[in-house]
Amino acid sequence: MENEVYLIEKRENEIFITVTVSTHGIATTEIKLFQDGSIINKGFSNNGAGLISKTSLGIDSKLNGATVKIETDIVLTKVPKSAWENCFKNLEIHYYLEGGKANQKQPIELLVSEKKKSSSGETIVAVKRIDLLLG
């Protein structure tokens, strides 16, 4: 699966990300920035909804070639087992990026191929990768 691409410019703009999760389960989201061989933790939700409020990824001129990995884990323990399959099928996660090149698709959405469920169906893991490239 190819990574999504978010185009940036060298204008010394700060690049921000916001993540929203639509689920009936308990969700946690973690953002990591892969850059120049390093992994930098950029955010972790602690609200049970998987929400990441507007968070800085850094300055555009320093982010070219970096990849943002956003992983959301959802536990459906408190949801009736009969609804687990619908929770998986209807899961929506939106990724909003700001500060890059104008007129890009917003939000970037989770694709079907970017989510998996445990063998029991009780846990869902969604992983989105977005490359930051000069455009």
Side-chain angles (χ1 to χ4, degrees):
M1 179 79 213
E2 281 190 36
N3 295 351
E4 298 270 358
V5 173
Y6 184 72
L7 299 175
I8 58 175
E9 299 176 291
K10 284 190 173 184
R11 296 184 312 184
E12 300 303 311
N13 280 348
E14 197 164 4
I15 305 297
F16 294 97
I17 187 166
T18 301
V19 180
T20 62
V21 181
S22 173
T23 181
H24 293 290
I26 299 167
T28 57
T29 299
E30 185 174 26
I31 299 175
K32 292 187 179 183
L33 183 69
F34 293 79
Q35 182 178 27
D36 301 325
S38 297
I39 302 170
I40 304 160
N41 290 322
K42 285 295 185 173
F44 185 81
S45 68
N46 56 10
N47 50 29
L51 171 69
I52 299 277
S53 298
K54 187 175 178 178
T55 300
S56 175
L57 295 174
I59 302 299
D60 58 5
S61 60
K62 298 177 181 173
L63 290 172
N64 184 41
T67 299
V68 182
K69 177 185 173 195
I70 308 105
E71 182 173 326
T72 302
D73 298 326
I74 301 160
V75 178
L76 302 174
T77 306
K78 305 273 185 198
V79 176
K81 192 171 185 175
S82 60
W84 290 359
E85 186 59 33
N86 277 337
C87 288
F88 179 76
K89 281 197 286 192
N90 298 319
L91 174 63
E92 286 187 21
I93 303 178
H94 294 154
Y95 310 91
Y96 299 88
L97 287 149
E98 300 174 45
K101 202 164 185 180
N103 301 319
Q104 296 187 68
K105 178 179 100 173
Q106 288 287 353
I108 297 172
E109 296 179 350
L110 180 71
L111 303 175
V112 172
S113 61
E114 296 170 327
K115 62 182 177 177
K116 294 182 171 84
K117 60 184 171 181
S118 63
S119 56
S120 68
E122 185 176 8
T123 304
I124 302 169
V125 177
V127 178
K128 172 63 91 179
R129 289 179 176 83
I130 303 169
D131 293 333
L132 305 174
L133 301 173
L134 285 175

